[in-house]
Amino acid sequence: MSLVKLNIKGISYSQTQNGAYALILNEVDGERKLPIVIGAFEAQSIAIALEKEIKPPRPLTHDLFKSFADRFDIIVKQVIIHKLVDGVFYSSIICERDKIEEIIDARTSDAIALALRFNAPIFTYKNILDKAGIYLKFSPKEEEEENKEEGEHIVLDEVLSSDTAKTEESYKTHSLKELYTMLDAAVSNEDYEKAAKIRDEISKREQK
């Protein structure tokens, strides 16, 4: 069976499960998308790895695994989504230490969170993509962002924040200096949802 390389297209709220998120993987040499339902913690971990601007004051679980692996010279070479049963995706992490390769079973969300931290490629089998791959239409704004740079990662706002529009308006009343202070405090308190909103407000002002 041939492998198909995937990259991360974005993360959004799941339309089928309350409190869950949909991780959208994109076929590198095609237009099909592979949506995978993941939990809130895993979505946050993946989003933080993608954003790179928000640094947790203490390591998250996947960061801890990365540090542990680095200390013992374990390399994650690739992640393969190898099975789909009753809507559940099964993945393997391909690791190497002292030129010995090992295959570790993992939840797909954990495997992808680790792949990001190791800069490891993500693959699935063609038959899985044929079965579960779909064509998704993103909003005009998202398509515009994608066209700016081919292959650019798009992380949807929903994954890092569930604040209401009223909360967004409240940030507009603060100065940039106050916003930076609030951002530092939010990150220190590991309130990444709030940090993402403040970061977005800062970015809007600095682009003007």
Side-chain angles (χ1 to χ4, degrees):
M1 292 183 290
S2 60
L3 288 172
V4 179
K5 190 173 183 180
L6 306 169
N7 59 24
I8 296 176
K9 180 71 174 180
I11 306 173
S12 66
Y13 284 120
S14 171
Q15 301 299 314
T16 59
Q17 296 186 28
N18 291 332
Y21 292 85
L23 171 66
I24 311 298
L25 301 176
N26 187 76
E27 181 183 14
V28 171
D29 296 320
E31 297 181 358
R32 287 176 295 182
K33 276 73 178 175
L34 191 66
I36 300 175
V37 176
I38 62 176
F41 172 78
E42 291 78 11
Q44 184 184 74
S45 181
I46 290 170
I48 288 173
L50 284 171
E51 287 289 334
K52 300 184 185 303
E53 296 177 5
I54 298 178
K55 302 295 183 183
R58 302 295 298 153
L60 302 178
T61 302
H62 298 112
D63 297 322
L64 177 61
F65 185 98
K66 174 67 163 58
S67 298
F68 184 90
D70 288 344
R71 183 64 59 90
F72 291 95
D73 297 321
I74 300 170
I75 301 171
V76 171
K77 297 179 64 178
Q78 61 184 16
V79 163
I80 300 176
I81 303 171
H82 63 84
K83 186 168 66 174
L84 173 61
V85 179
D86 296 330
V88 178
F89 291 91
Y90 293 77
S91 293
S92 297
I93 301 173
I94 314 301
C95 304
E96 184 179 278
R97 181 174 183 267
D98 295 334
K99 297 183 179 180
I100 299 175
E101 191 172 277
E102 299 286 350
I103 301 175
I104 299 175
D105 181 45
R107 295 188 307 168
T108 297
S109 54
D110 289 328
I112 291 174
L114 290 173
L116 284 170
R117 286 162 170 81
F118 283 89
N119 294 316
I122 303 166
F123 296 93
T124 191
Y125 288 110
K126 183 178 181 298
N127 66 320
I128 293 178
L129 196 57
D130 290 341
K131 182 179 180 181
I134 60 175
Y135 291 91
L136 286 181
K137 290 185 178 180
F138 285 80
S139 69
K141 180 180 179 181
E142 292 163 354
E143 289 179 348
E144 180 183 348
E145 289 296 323
E146 181 183 19
N147 291 334
K148 288 181 181 177
E149 181 179 350
E150 186 175 354
E152 178 183 2
H153 291 306
I154 299 175
V155 184
L156 305 184
D157 291 340
E158 291 90 341
V159 69
L160 287 175
S161 179
S162 59
D163 290 346
T164 63
K166 182 178 179 181
T167 303
E168 291 180 10
E169 288 294 327
S170 69
Y171 293 136
K172 295 180 180 179
T173 63
H174 294 278
S175 67
L176 264 177
K177 182 178 179 180
E178 290 172 333
L179 287 173
Y180 274 111
T181 300
M182 293 167 65
L183 177 61
D184 290 339
V187 173
S188 296
N189 294 328
E190 301 187 22
D191 188 348
Y192 305 117
E193 295 181 357
K194 183 176 181 180
K197 278 295 179 185
I198 298 172
R199 178 210 60 208
D200 290 344
E201 178 63 26
I202 291 173
S203 297
K204 289 177 185 176
R205 295 195 194 183
E206 291 183 337
Q207 288 173 2
K208 292 180 179 180

